[in-house]
Structure formats: structure tokens, C-alpha cells
Amino acid sequence: MTHHTSSTLSIPMASAIPRHVAIIMDGNGRWASKRMLPRVAGHSEGLGAVRRIVLECRRLGVEYLTVFAFSSENWRRPPEEVGFLMKLFLKSLKGELSRLTENDVSLRLIGDLSRFDSAIQEMVKFSEEKTAGCKGLTFTIAANYGGRWDILQAMRHCLAANPNLKPEQVNEELLQPHLSMAYAPEPDLFIRTGGEQRVSNFLLWQLAYTELYFTDVLWPDFDEAQLHKALDWFGQRERRFGRTGAQTASQVMSDAV
Ligand code: IPE
Ligand code: IPE
Ligand code: MG
């Protein structure tokens, strides 16, 4: 059950390497514009960064890596860009699958996949099944994902599973199993590239006590060295979870023994 502990119900163990890293991969369009290229060239280039960061997280012993690939609000973009992203998504699922299994990485998708065309839905299902036994790293892609959608769909499923539930009986333990990331601990470290300091409807529930790291580096330029920088920064944080600094220090000492 330690995987599922909630940061508001109990205090997670302190660890030097985050168990779960969640990333908003932002800045692809600006990366391309700076080079007089069409925005979509930035998305293609961003795939290389995903590959690097998956492998580096795997190597470092991060257990869960979650990336925001397409938000529920990204449908507002020009149809040509949305269409390109869909094609790129399908192409990279096909192209990367063997690399994932070779590196013992399991793939999970979160988000409302019903809006994607059937070729994507089938490829997602196939990739999840193919990699289900991989234990080195759980790599989650959030696609047509929104934090508010997640909380609402969890609430709907929770009420459906507990039809006689009274309002005063609703609590975190009942809701948690229905959230889309119920299989993972809450993110320890959040990274957003591209310079914006906002959450853009990513994992709203799960980020309650996550350390937030922002960098101006554009996603296609994000590499192993940039990841190490973020991890070093994470290592300096004092995660208090509501307690005093002195209480926190004594827990960190006792976790270490
Ligand atoms: C992030 O890069 C990728 C997606 C949202 C799909 P952007 O496309 O948002 O890049 P900028 O923010 O316009 O530079
Ligand atoms: C957030 O980036 C979503 C993804 C990276 C998939 P956006 O570029 O869509 O966010 P906003 O619109 O600047 O907040
Ligand atoms: Mg953006």
C-alpha cells in the first residue's frame, strides 16, 4: 500500500531521488519559431527529449515518469497542429515500443482517450499490454488529460461504485482508487520547461505537496544535464508537509537509518 499513500493523510518517506517525476513539456513551438521553422518541427524535435529523459530516469532509478503531451485544452489549437500532433503520437508509439521493452519501461496512458481515433486507441492498448510486465520504470503519457476532468471522472466512478454513499461519507480513501494515477505515488518533483510558471490543468489533485521546478529551457533542448539540475534542486528542498523544520529534520534522520 505504500505506493498509494496520500501526502495529506500520511507523510511520505524522504528520498534523495524522487520516486515520481511529472513534467510539462512546454516550449516546442517557440523552439521552432526561433529557428524560422514551423511550430510542428518543435514537436518532432521534442520527441528526442522525451526519449533522453525516459532513459535517464530509468538509469537513475526514478520509478515513475509522467509527461503532459496533450491537454484537454490543446484542442483549441489550429486543426493542422492538432492533426500533426495526433500523427506524431501514433508514429512515436509505434516507433518507440521496442525501445521501451528493451529498457524494461512500462507505458501507461492517462486522459480521456475516447476522443482519439481508433488507430491511436488500439495502439495505446497494444503498447500498454506489451510493456505491462516491465518493471524498471513506469512511463505515463497524459493525453487529452485535464486535472479537473480527472477529479470529476474519479468522483463519478466513486459514486457509481458506492451507490449508497452519503455526502458525509465521501473521503480521500474512497476517491483515490478512481483517480487516473491511482497506481502511482504522488509526484515528488514537477518540472515545467518553457518559462511559464503555471500548472495548466495538469495533475491538480496529485500535485498537492509536489516540489515545483520551472526552467526557461525549451523542451526540445531539455537534456540529461538539465534533468540533473532539476534533481539537484530537488535534493536541496526541505519537504515539510505542514510540519515544522525541526520535525522534518528528525524524520529525515530516522528514515535514513
Ligand atoms: C508544448 O509545446 C507541447 C504541446 C502543448 C503539445 P508548445 O506547443 O505549447 O510550445 P509553445 O509554448 O507554443 O512554445
Ligand atoms: C501545457 O502546455 C500542456 C502540454 C505541455 C501538453 P500549453 O502550452 O498548452 O499551456 P498554456 O496554454 O501555455 O498554459
Ligand atoms: Mg506552450
Side-chain angles (χ1 to χ4, degrees):
M1 278 306 282
T2 56
H3 283 254
H4 307 294
T5 50
S6 151
S7 58
T8 44
L9 296 180
S10 63
I11 295 162
M13 280 259 293
S15 65
I17 290 277
R19 294 183 68 195
H20 184 176
V21 177
I23 305 183
I24 296 189
M25 313 183 287
D26 197 18
N28 294 350
R30 281 163 285 163
W31 182 92
S33 300
K34 273 195 353 196
R35 289 166 176 75
M36 314 290 269
L37 295 168
R39 288 179 51 82
V40 295
H43 298 318
S44 302
E45 191 71 19
L47 178 61
V50 176
R51 205 178 281 135
R52 289 196 289 272
I53 299 311
V54 168
L55 294 180
E56 190 60 3
C57 283
R58 165 79 183 90
R59 196 182 70 80
L60 293 169
V62 171
E63 294 169 63
Y64 298 87
L65 170 67
T66 303
V67 300
F68 206 3
F70 193 86
S71 76
S72 45
E73 288 69 53
N74 286 143
W75 297 105
R76 296 169 179 162
R77 293 193 178 196
E80 310 76 57
E81 183 170 340
V82 172
F84 182 91
L85 284 167
M86 293 301 147
K87 272 197 225 117
L88 181 66
F89 185 34
L90 184 58
K91 199 177 106 188
S92 35
L93 283 173
K94 289 181 177 159
E96 302 297 318
L97 184 56
S98 60
R99 205 188 309 271
L100 294 178
T101 50
E102 279 159 25
N103 288 285
D104 202 25
V105 176
S106 74
L107 180 73
R108 305 281 297 242
L109 264 287
I110 57 167
D112 181 3
L113 294 182
S114 68
R115 199 162 162 189
F116 292 120
D117 68 41
S118 55
I120 293 186
Q121 294 189 36
E122 281 158 28
M123 192 59 208
V124 163
K125 195 164 171 271
F126 181 75
S127 312
E128 287 184 333
E129 284 168 7
K130 274 277 178 214
T131 61
C134 297
K135 296 277 176 271
L137 168 73
T138 301
F139 173 48
T140 302
I141 301 175
N144 193 20
Y145 177 89
R148 291 185 179 180
W149 165 84
D150 194 359
I151 295 167
L152 288 170
Q153 67 79 29
M155 186 54 81
R156 281 188 211 111
H157 287 111
C158 178
L159 293 176
N162 305 280
N164 300 319
L165 200 64
K166 297 193 181 75
E168 63 273 21
Q169 292 172 321
V170 175
N171 61 26
E172 273 199 41
E173 280 104 333
L174 285 176
L175 188 69
Q176 200 276 344
H178 302 286
L179 290 162
S180 16
M181 294 221 75
Y183 56 87
E186 293 170 17
D188 303 291
L189 173 63
F190 161 101
I191 298 172
R192 182 172 186 145
T193 62
E196 309 299 342
Q197 304 201 354
R198 55 179 173 250
V199 175
S200 299
N201 200 16
F202 196 25
L203 302 158
L204 298 179
W205 177 282
Q206 296 83 349
L207 292 176
Y209 272 103
T210 304
E211 300 296 331
L212 307 177
Y213 179 85
F214 298 94
T215 169
D216 289 336
V217 173
L218 304 172
W219 177 251
D221 292 328
F222 198 78
D223 60 9
E224 293 85 348
Q226 294 298 332
L227 178 67
H228 298 161
K229 239 176 111 175
L231 294 174
D232 290 344
W233 175 88
F234 174 80
Q236 306 299 311
R237 308 275 60 80
E238 183 186 53
R239 304 191 71 194
R240 291 193 285 273
F241 299 101
R243 299 162 302 173
T244 66
Q247 289 173 300
T248 306
S250 67
Q251 183 225 343
V252 172
M253 295 287 282
S254 65
D255 280 357
V257 294

